[in-house]
Structure formats: structure tokens, C-alpha cells
Amino acid sequence: MRLYEGAVGTAYLVSSVVVDDTITRRLEALGVNEMTPVTILNKKGSGSVIIKIRGTRLAVGRRISEGIEIQEMTGREDAPHAEQ
């Protein structure tokens, strides 16, 4: 599912980031990488999302939130070096 489709207050894992290369690099610098836990703090009707990732709150617009694929966290996925 896409980031903007997630439920507020729920933790997910980032499964992929598919946006422009420059935006992808910036997101990676901010800690938005594959298999990183992310919690959705708030959503707006326009598709903007406020997330908490690695202890930092980020706000991303609809275009970016459409390019971030997430999956629900289950079991050991939140453990370091977990394989899927």
C-alpha cells in the first residue's frame, strides 16, 4: 500500500521508495530507506502525511507519499537485520 493509504497511529515498514532520483536521495538522507519502521502521525485530505521515522517528524506531500510503499509490521521485522 502507499504511504498516504496507511492508518494514523499505525507503524509500518517502508518496502520501497519510487520517486525522482533527487527526492529519493534526499529521503534516504533523512532516513527513509527500505525496511525502516515508520509511524503515521497525521494525514490531510490532500494526501499530505506527517510521519515519524527514526525519531524525526517529517511532512511529505501527496506526490512523495504516493511513491513510498509500506507494509504492515508483523513479528520480527522491526528487529535489526531482519530478513523478509
Side-chain angles (χ1 to χ4, degrees), residues 4 6 10 12 20 25 33 40-44 46-47 53 56 65 67 69-70 73 76 79-80 82:
Y4 71 91
T10 306
Y12 297 95
D20 297 336
R25 284 192 299 274
N33 302 310
I40 298 176
L41 300 177
N42 200 354
K43 297 190 327 182
K44 303 291 181 186
S46 62
I53 191 157
T56 302
S65 68
E69 287 278 337
I70 57 172
M73 291 180 62
R76 290 183 23 92

Side-chain angles (χ1 to χ4, degrees), residues 20 23 26-27 29 34 36 44 46 48 62 65 77:
D20 297 336
I23 296 171
R26 179 66 176 146
L27 289 172
E34 291 183 12
T36 302
K44 303 291 181 186
S46 62
S48 298
R62 170 88 182 212
S65 68
E77 290 157 344

Side-chain angles (χ1 to χ4, degrees), residues 1-3 5 12-18 38 64-71:
M1 87 176 78
R2 306 282 185 198
L3 181 63
E5 296 172 325
Y12 297 95
L13 284 179
V14 175
S15 56
S16 68
V17 179
V18 183
V38 60
I64 295 173
S65 68
E66 286 177 342
I68 299 174
E69 287 278 337
I70 57 172
Q71 61 190 23

